[in-house]
Amino acid sequence: MRDFAGKTAFITGGASGAGLGQAKVFADAGCNIVIADIRQDAIDAALAELKARGANAHGIRLDITDRAAFAAAADEAERVFGPVHLLFNTAGVSIFGPLEKASYDDYDWIMGVNWWGVVNGMQSFVPRMLAHGEGGHIVNTSSLGCFVATSGAGIYSASKFAVHGITMAMRDALKDKGIGVSVLCPANIRSNIAESIKTRPAHLANSGYAVDEREIAALQEIYAQGMDPEELAGHVKDAIEDDRFYIIPYPEARPMLEAAFQQVLDALPPIDSDPEGQARRATAMGRYVEARRQMDAERYGQPA
């Protein structure tokens, strides 16, 4: 997609941080903007900022873990601006601490927002995007934490690994349907994600982690040095224009990723080993893929 004029973008977490950066950049490109966020005061401030720069913008208060509310938000976006062409699943939360100390509520909160929020966005909009037939693009925000994980950010990384995987699968699903798909894997962003704990719902308050103002302040100091959200959104726009899957505009990540992927490659036997086993497995997989094509053609009307 290269022409954004008149297109409509729906952005979760759109009232601050990376989401607001996306709202500004794509508004400047001519999009109608719908920002969805859980905080009404942040929505109000973001709308004032967007409209001051001439944007056609609309705000919706949304808990992205609420599927019925997400569907209602999609309805509202279409009533206001018509079909949605750009979906940015950007909202996310984090909490840090030793993984073995985590509670079920810690898992449910982080996975609910970071994983199920993305799923809910795609479930709400992909069928609509296919139905309107005007094309589009989906950008799911993962993290550099989708490639490596440590104990301190274990649940967060698990959620981002999942987002990476489902985004790759959705790219495959939509590759012939005029809808592009990208995964954004940022490192540090100038955002207020350090304060996401303040949006944690009361029914998931039983945490294994002790988070206080000292930790929030320390994280804010780190995030203050992060990439500017509008700069990051500019990279997102470039990727959409070029129909690129990965968006990772952080050169400092190269050594870490090279080391991580080298570990994977080092775990593999030499390519010329076990030729009989390789041939047997390849033949079996080829038969399955062909049978699957035929079954899918019968079941779902997809080309064989």
Side-chain angles (χ1 to χ4, degrees), residues 6-31:
K7 301 294 194 301
T8 296
F10 187 100
I11 307 168
T12 69
S16 66
L20 183 55
Q22 291 164 353
K24 292 175 178 177
V25 165
F26 286 89
D28 290 350
C31 288

Side-chain angles (χ1 to χ4, degrees), residues 55-74:
N56 292 322
H58 179 74
I60 302 174
R61 186 173 186 181
L62 175 64
D63 175 353
I64 62 172
T65 69
D66 185 332
R67 293 172 180 171
F70 218 131

Side-chain angles (χ1 to χ4, degrees), residues 8 15 24 30 47 84 91 93 104-105 109 112 139 148 154 158-159 166 184 202 204 214 222 252 272 277:
T8 296
K24 292 175 178 177
L47 285 176
V84 169
V93 297
Y104 279 117
D105 280 5
W109 177 52
V139 179
V148 294
S159 71
I166 201 65
L184 173 60
L204 296 177
R214 293 175 304 164
I222 294 172
E252 65 271 26
D272 57 354

Side-chain angles (χ1 to χ4, degrees), residues 33 51 53 86 90 112 118 145 198-199 201 219-220 223 232 253 262 276 294 303:
I33 302 296
K51 291 179 179 180
R53 60 197 286 163
L86 292 159
T90 308
V118 170
K198 297 179 180 179
T199 67
L219 289 170
Q220 285 173 329
Y223 295 136
L232 181 61
Q262 191 60 52
E276 293 181 1
Q294 296 296 329

